[in-house]
Amino acid sequence: QVQLVESGGGLVQPGGSLTLSCAASGSFFAINVMGWYRQAPGKERELVASITSASSTNYADSVKGRFTISRDNAKNTVYLRMNSLKPEDTAVYYCNARFKYSSAGAYYTAWGQGTQVTVSS
């Protein structure tokens, strides 16, 4: 089982920056894709950014140019650097990991508990 622990959320003024971290632990063979999703009140959860083990990245159009996702494979940790934050970025941010228990096994998905990001003056 994979556990994902997020940190780094908080309150920031518009135009400010935050960095989220998510560390994976537990017993697994490999983690393929790690990513960040967010869910604002009354809205569906949406993909913010994802990164593969080969560091190929994907971003939501709304965050391109402002957010940067990175990954430390040795530490099984993914980061999300968020710059030029806007009030509409306010949401609970969830870490996500796609992993497998063995080289020939199926992929599974794990979620973190979520961390609140509030952008407000």
Side-chain angles (χ1 to χ4, degrees), residues 1-2 7 10 12 23-26 49 54 57 71 74-75 77 89-90 93 97-98 107 114 120:
Q1 188 174 359
V2 171
S7 61
V12 63
S25 62
T57 59
R71 177 172 174 173
K75 296 181 179 180
T77 300
D89 294 317
T90 296
Y93 284 69
R98 187 167 178 258
Y107 279 103
S120 175

Side-chain angles (χ1 to χ4, degrees), residues 8-11 18 20 39 90-93 114-118:
L11 173 65
L18 278 176
L20 305 182
Q39 187 167 19
T90 296
V92 178
Y93 284 69
T115 185
Q116 177 70 46
V117 172
T118 302

Side-chain angles (χ1 to χ4, degrees), residues 16-20 66-67 80-85 93 117:
S17 299
L18 278 176
T19 298
L20 305 182
R66 300 189 298 122
F67 291 11
L80 185 68
R81 175 65 176 178
M82 304 183 292
N83 295 328
S84 302
L85 282 161
Y93 284 69
V117 172

Side-chain angles (χ1 to χ4, degrees), residues 37-46 90-94 116:
Y37 288 70
R38 67 186 180 187
Q39 187 167 19
K43 295 187 177 181
E44 294 186 354
R45 191 174 296 189
E46 62 175 0
T90 296
V92 178
Y93 284 69
Y94 296 91
Q116 177 70 46

Side-chain angles (χ1 to χ4, degrees), residues 24-101:
S25 62
S27 179
F28 53 88
F29 173 74
I31 297 177
N32 180 10
V33 181
M34 298 189 80
W36 291 95
Y37 288 70
R38 67 186 180 187
Q39 187 167 19
K43 295 187 177 181
E44 294 186 354
R45 191 174 296 189
E46 62 175 0
L47 174 68
V48 176
S50 64
I51 184 168
T52 70
S53 56
S55 297
S56 176
T57 59
N58 180 46
Y59 293 94
D61 288 342
S62 60
V63 307
K64 284 181 180 177
R66 300 189 298 122
F67 291 11
T68 302
I69 190 169
S70 61
R71 177 172 174 173
D72 185 334
N73 289 328
K75 296 181 179 180
N76 292 315
T77 300
V78 63
Y79 306 93
L80 185 68
R81 175 65 176 178
M82 304 183 292
N83 295 328
S84 302
L85 282 161
K86 305 175 181 180
E88 50 263 44
D89 294 317
T90 296
V92 178
Y93 284 69
Y94 296 91
C95 179
N96 170 280
R98 187 167 178 258
F99 67 98
K100 55 171 53 178
Y101 290 113

